[in-house]
Every structure is written in structure tokens, then in C-alpha cells.
Amino acid sequence: MNGPRAFPALAAVTTVVRATPALIGLLDAHDPLAFIRNGDGIAGLGVALRLEFSGPSRVQDAADAWRLVVAAATVVDPVSVAGTGLVAFGSFAFADESNAVSVLVVPSTIIGRRGDVSWVTRIGDVAPEPTSLGTAFPVAFSPGGQSRPGYVDAVASAVSSIIAGTARKIVVARDLVARIPDDADLRLPITALAAAYPDTFTFAVDGLLGSSPETLVRARRGVVSARVLAGSAARGTDPTSDARAAAALAASPKDLAEHAFALRSVLESLGPRSLGLVANAQPFPLQLRNIWHLASDVTGALTDGSSALDLVAAMHPTAAVAGDPTDAALELIDQLEPFDRGRYAGPVGWVDANGDGEWAIALRCAQVSPAAGGVRTVTAYAGAGIVEASDPARELAETELKFSPIVDAFA
């Protein structure tokens, strides 16, 4: 978006309703819009406003545009919980030079639930009606721009660059592709993700679907928080081996070093904007269905009036998805990955009229293309953080673990 722009005067009215049915059942089958965790969250229908951005300033441009949208809007929100009032869903490309468009989407209708509170926000004329899920569709993923041997070679090259002193950490990703019918019901994989990974953020924004365990940033009433994930290990096959895997991860010098880079980048980004910023003294093992992650929680008080989108602009990309130092890592990623990441590893979430919001990093995800010729392309992504001690074969195995949520969801 270039230059000043006038925005329509949106009117958003939120009302409390009786307990809603499962939010996913209310979504558009072919263009779902949602951000849900443990059954709570928000779902959108229709489009009252869509804004597109690109280039190096895409997130800050979105933050500035959103302030103008809010200034022109009328918001009636007696409910005043996270996700009520005027809300935009957003998804941003990972790289400055990406061909993928970054978007903010204000739905015509937003349906939400937090604990015992359910609500509807109406901005347009779309009324939600739950519909039955469609029939299952066959999906077969195959390598995309990066083959398995090619990924092993890319990781080995990344390790060589680290040994040579070019960078300290590089996140290297690979991709898988599949094709689905253009009328496939995308609520099916979303339902599978939400059921299998309830503690993660299950999201759907402009064809980007996934379940991310990583909170990029959350802003709510002057408090900022984030959850940093870096360092991974496969779950054990029984309670004893599982506990052993978690303990080994928590003591792994390689994984602790990888995590330290990611945590430092978040603290450095949020530090100038917050007071009393604190993090765990030591990262803790976070248990997901098929993997352990090293995790650290960060919390502080916002001091400069930043909106959630301002914080996203300051933080992206973190070392958890790019590397350290950032500029060197991004340059190496461009050399090592023979594909455009699109919105993979970019910010995905929502922002409200107060500037509060919740943003995850788009991981365990796939981008579904618009229909063309009766089919839609699904491109899934997974990556691993590479440090000097990384073993290419083990990093390939880690990407297989990280692919499994999205591959299983489409199965």
C-alpha cells in the first residue's frame, strides 16, 4: 500500500449470544477465516474490508493503515473481551521480496467464544449458519522445490557457513506439494488440526491453514507476552522413553544454544517497548502430540503505546524462524531454499480496534491456492534451526516430524 488512502467508515456492533456451536462448523468451506485455541477464539464470514501489503514495510504499513481504519469506524462493544469489537485477521509473507501478498481481512460477521462468553460482531450482512462437513478427499503429498537429498545438502552447506563464521544459526526449510479438488471442504483439515493439537493456535487466513505452537506476540490492555520455541526432539514411544527424551532435550547443548538465539532476538525486539520484561530462567520442555520443544515465556508491560501490529513489525523475523544474525541468516536462506516461503514462518493472527491482538508464527502450516482448472494446490512447509552441531540427517528427520500435523490433517 503506497501513499495516503481513505478507508470506508465501518460500523461494528458486538452482542452477546447463547453458547455457539463449534466455531469451525460455521466457517466458509472453501475460504475459512479463523484463529482458535482449545475451542475458544474467533471465526469470520464474508469480507467487509480487505487490505493488501507487500515489501519490506508491509507489517508497519498494515499497522498504520489499521489505525486509519479504526479512526474512521464506529465500534459498539459492550462485551469487551479479547476478540470482540472491530477485528481484522492478518497473514504476512515471511520475506521482504516474497511474491505472496500480505493481508488484513475484516469479516462481515465475526463469531467468537472465550470461556462462558459467546458473541457475534456484525459489520456487514452475512449471517452464520452451521453446515455439515463435506466428504473426505484424497491427498498425496510429494516433494516441492526441495527434495530430501537436496535438503540434506542444504543443511550441510548451512553448517559449513556457520563454521566459517557467516552466521551462528540458520533456519532451513523444505516444502511438500499436493493437489485437491477445487470444491474440497477445508474445514476437514482444520477440524483435524484443532482436535489433534488443541493447545496450539489453529488458524485459517486467506488460504493459509495450520496449527502453530508458537506465540509471536500477544498484546492485551497494556501487557505484552510471547512464547519462544526453539530446540526439538521426537516424543518417546512409552512414558519412560518420553521422559528421557524431554530430559535429554532440556540438557542438550545444541538445542539450548539454538533456543538462546531465538529468546535473545525476542527480548531485544520487545525490550525497548516494554517495562519489566521477564522470561523463564531456563527454557522448559513443551509437550505436543508428536514432539517436544524447548520453550520460554516472556511477559512485560507496554510503555510506548505500540499496537500488536507495531510489535509484530518490530519482531519479525525472529531467530526462531530466520537465524542469527538476522541479515546474514536471511541471505543464506535465500541461497539455500529453492522456493518462496510465502507466508510460512510469517506472522498470522488478529488485531482489534484498541490495537490489542494475538499473533502466532505460521508453522505446521500449508498454503492452499485459489482454484484453477478444477484443482487447488496445497503447499506445506517445515524447517529446522541449524547450528554448528547440527547433523543433516537428524535435521531432515525433524522436518518430517514437523510436517506430520499438516500431512495427517489432509490425509
Side-chain angles (χ1 to χ4, degrees):
M1 189 190 74
N2 297 315
R5 178 178 171 184
F7 294 100
L10 300 176
V13 179
T14 298
T15 55
V16 172
V17 296
R18 290 184 297 176
T20 62
L23 293 175
I24 294 173
L26 299 171
L27 300 178
D28 185 294
H30 310 304
D31 190 18
L33 195 57
F35 199 82
I36 299 168
R37 185 179 185 183
N38 284 318
D40 286 356
I42 51 177
L45 283 171
V47 178
L49 178 65
R50 176 189 172 93
L51 303 176
E52 297 186 353
F53 310 89
S54 61
S57 62
R58 61 197 176 282
V59 184
Q60 192 58 57
D61 287 346
D64 296 340
W66 183 241
R67 274 186 276 270
L68 296 176
V69 171
V70 170
T74 301
V75 181
V76 178
D77 179 17
V79 184
S80 191
V81 300
T84 58
L86 183 65
V87 169
F89 293 78
S91 176
F92 292 86
F94 172 80
D96 293 350
E97 66 280 1
S98 175
N99 291 322
V101 66
S102 300
V103 297
L104 286 180
V105 179
V106 179
S108 297
T109 299
I110 303 167
I111 313 98
R113 181 169 60 204
R114 300 280 178 193
D116 295 333
V117 180
S118 295
W119 69 90
V120 172
T121 300
R122 291 182 172 85
I123 306 165
D125 299 326
V126 177
E129 289 291 342
T131 58
S132 300
L133 294 178
T135 57
F137 46 89
V139 179
F141 281 93
S142 58
Q146 181 65 287
S147 66
R148 288 166 59 93
Y151 184 76
V152 170
D153 291 343
V155 172
S157 295
V159 171
S160 296
S161 295
I162 292 168
I163 292 172
T166 306
R168 292 180 288 272
K169 174 187 174 181
I170 310 162
V171 178
V172 183
R174 65 187 185 99
D175 59 333
L176 299 176
V177 296
R179 287 175 173 78
I180 60 175
D182 62 2
D183 61 350
D185 190 337
L186 297 181
R187 295 174 302 173
L188 291 169
I190 297 170
T191 298
L193 286 167
Y197 302 92
D199 293 331
T200 70
F201 295 108
T202 297
F203 57 85
V205 179
D206 204 40
L208 182 71
L209 316 177
S211 279
S212 176
E214 186 153 4
T215 308
L216 175 61
V217 69
R218 179 189 292 111
R220 180 67 176 164
R221 295 177 176 170
V223 176
V224 60
S225 59
R227 169 163 284 182
V228 181
L229 303 184
S232 308
R235 296 286 306 276
T237 56
D238 56 66
T240 300
S241 63
D242 199 35
R244 189 181 301 122
L249 176 65
S252 165
K254 178 262 182 188
D255 291 288
L256 288 168
E258 180 186 340
H259 187 85
F261 291 130
L263 177 59
R264 185 178 66 189
S265 73
V266 169
L267 294 174
E268 288 177 349
S269 297
L270 291 179
R273 298 168 179 264
S274 57
L275 181 68
L277 197 65
V278 295
N280 305 87
Q282 294 291 330
F284 59 91
L286 176 69
Q287 174 185 308
L288 297 179
R289 182 175 180 177
N290 69 329
I291 198 169
W292 287 100
H293 284 295
L294 285 181
S296 291
D297 288 331
V298 177
T299 306
L302 284 173
T303 56
D304 68 348
S306 291
S307 72
L309 276 172
D310 291 323
L311 297 172
V312 170
M315 297 176 70
H316 177 75
T318 70
V321 290
D324 185 83
T326 303
D327 290 344
L330 291 174
E331 184 174 342
L332 287 164
I333 287 169
D334 190 51
Q335 296 171 15
L336 296 170
E337 295 179 0
F339 56 86
D340 184 340
R341 284 190 179 188
R343 299 172 184 159
Y344 162 69
V348 59
W350 59 269
V351 63
D352 69 11
N354 298 315
D356 291 343
E358 197 165 37
W359 292 82
I361 299 177
L363 304 172
R364 318 298 192 268
C365 66
Q367 180 70 50
V368 181
S369 73
V375 298
R376 304 178 76 174
T377 299
V378 182
T379 306
Y381 304 88
I386 311 305
V387 294
E388 185 173 345
S390 293
D391 172 74
R394 291 186 63 184
E395 302 300 345
L396 176 66
E398 182 176 319
T399 64
E400 296 287 357
L401 281 173
K402 293 176 176 177
F403 270 128
S404 63
I406 202 73
V407 171
D408 292 347
F410 273 93

